[in-house]
Amino acid sequence: MSTEKSSLHTRNLHRNPYDFDQLISCVPELKHYVFENAYKTRTINFSIPKAVKLLNKALLLHFYNVKDWDIPDTNLCPPIPGRADYVHYIADLLADQQKEIPTGAFVNGLDVGVGANLVYPLIAHKSYGWKMLGTDINQDSLKNAQHILDQNLDLSPDILLKHQPDSDCIFKNIIEGEDRFTFSMCNPPFHDSEEAVMKGNIRKTKNLKKTKTKQPLLNFGGKQSELWCEGGELAFITKMINESALYSSKVLWFTCLVSKKDNLPKLNSLLKKVRAVDFKTIDMAQGQKISRMLAWTFIPQQDRRGWF
C-alpha cells in the first residue's frame, strides 16, 4: 500500500506516491517503463537510465510546468524529490530572519555546480519566484542548461548561467563588483576518485536490482566534475568555506549538502577558524538516504533583515 513520504519536507510537492496516470499524460513514453511490483504498487525500475530520465521529465512538467526538459545520457540525472527538499530547507532558513518565507526576484540565489539538469534553479524559481544564477566548470553542461531555458522563455529573466573558468575556484570569477546573493547552494562531488564512483555505483545498482553485479550502471549518469574531486567531499567543502570568507559581505547564507556525517566536526571547526558568526546543520531525511545541509553566515543577526 502506498503511503505519504513523510520524511520529505512538509512543503515538498512529492510527498504523495507518484500518480503515473497523470505523469504518463505529460510524457506518454513513460508508460513503457511503468509496472506493478510485488506490493501491487505502480513504479519504474530505477536501475534503467531512460526510465529515470523520463520520470524526471514528467515530474518537472506536471509539478513545475517546465517544458521539454532533457539532459545528455552522460550527465547527472538527479532525483527530483530530494532536490526539492534542499530548496525548501533554504526557504526555512531565510524565513528565520522575518518569520515568513521571502518570495520574489529580490531573493537572489547562487547554485554552485548547476550541471546540465538545471534542477535547483528551476524548482527554486517555480516554488518561490527567486532569481537564480547557476555556475559550472563544464561548458557542455551549461550549454544543455541554456537549452532548457530556451524552451522555457518565461524563465530567462530570472535564471541566468555563468561559466567558472577555473576548476580551483568556487566563488572567485563568479561573484563580482556589486553582486549580492541571499544564499548560495551546492551539491558537492561526493567521491574522491573515479574508482570510488564505480564501486559506489555497483553497490547502488545491486541494491536496486536485488542481484549481484560486477558492472557499474550509471543510472543517474554523471560527468567527472559532478561525481568526484581530489580529496572528495571534505576537500571540496573545505575549499568552499575558506573561499567564502573572502566573500563574507556578498552572501547572506552560504549552504552546502554534506553526505558524510563524519565530515561535520572538521567543517564546524573550520567555520570557527574563519570566524563565521553563525552556522548550523539541518538534517534532511530523504527515503533511505540521510543527508544534511550545512549553512553558515558572516553577517551579524542585526544586519540580516536588510537583505530582504
Side-chain angles (χ1 to χ4, degrees), residues 15-230:
R15 284 168 64 93
N16 292 319
Y18 294 137
D19 184 329
F20 280 103
D21 288 335
Q22 286 184 337
L23 295 176
I24 289 168
S25 72
C26 293
V27 180
E29 192 181 352
L30 179 63
K31 69 181 178 184
H32 302 300
Y33 299 91
V34 176
F35 68 97
E36 195 174 86
N37 63 19
Y39 303 99
K40 304 296 182 185
T41 300
R42 293 175 85 196
T43 187
I44 63 166
N45 186 336
F46 285 90
S47 68
I48 298 176
K50 180 78 169 177
V52 175
K53 193 154 73 167
L54 289 171
L55 174 62
N56 278 9
K57 184 173 185 174
L59 290 172
L60 287 166
L61 179 57
H62 178 68
F63 287 100
Y64 305 102
N65 196 31
V66 175
K67 304 175 187 70
D68 297 317
W69 181 89
D70 197 12
I71 57 171
D73 293 337
T74 52
N75 283 91
L76 190 67
C77 191
I80 302 299
R83 295 297 193 264
D85 250 28
Y86 188 5
V87 171
H88 293 307
Y89 279 107
I90 287 176
D92 289 346
L93 181 70
L94 300 181
D96 282 347
Q97 310 307 136
Q98 55 182 42
K99 306 307 178 190
E100 62 181 24
I101 296 170
T103 58
F106 65 90
V107 174
N108 198 13
L110 171 61
D111 179 11
V112 175
V114 66
N117 59 71
L118 197 67
V119 162
Y120 284 132
L122 292 172
I123 294 176
H125 178 68
K126 289 289 189 175
S127 299
Y128 298 109
W130 297 340
K131 190 168 185 174
M132 296 292 297
L133 174 65
T135 74
D136 209 284
I137 62 172
N138 189 293
Q139 288 186 308
D140 287 339
S141 293
L142 288 176
K143 186 177 179 180
N144 192 81
Q146 184 60 52
H147 180 72
I148 295 170
L149 290 177
D150 292 343
Q151 309 310 306
N152 296 270
L153 294 178
D154 58 309
L155 300 175
S156 294
D158 294 306
I159 299 179
L160 303 173
L161 301 172
K162 192 170 185 178
H163 180 235
Q164 169 58 270
D166 189 341
S167 60
D168 287 329
C169 297
I170 294 173
F171 301 114
K172 186 183 176 183
N173 305 317
I174 300 299
I175 302 177
E176 298 177 317
E178 300 301 309
D179 289 346
R180 283 202 349 160
F181 292 93
T182 320
F183 68 89
S184 69
M185 64 190 305
C186 181
N187 186 9
F190 176 76
H191 298 284
D192 59 7
S193 69
E194 188 172 11
E195 181 185 13
V197 172
M198 292 306 176
K199 283 183 178 177
N201 198 266
I202 288 172
R203 189 165 57 248
K204 184 164 72 171
T205 303
K206 186 170 71 173
N207 290 338
L208 286 169
K209 290 186 168 184
K210 308 298 184 189
T211 58
K212 289 185 178 180
T213 180
K214 293 183 180 179
Q215 290 297 316
L217 176 62
L218 289 172
N219 65 305
F220 293 102
K223 288 187 176 291
Q224 181 260 314
S225 59
E226 294 175 318
L227 298 172
W228 68 273
C229 68
E230 190 171 343

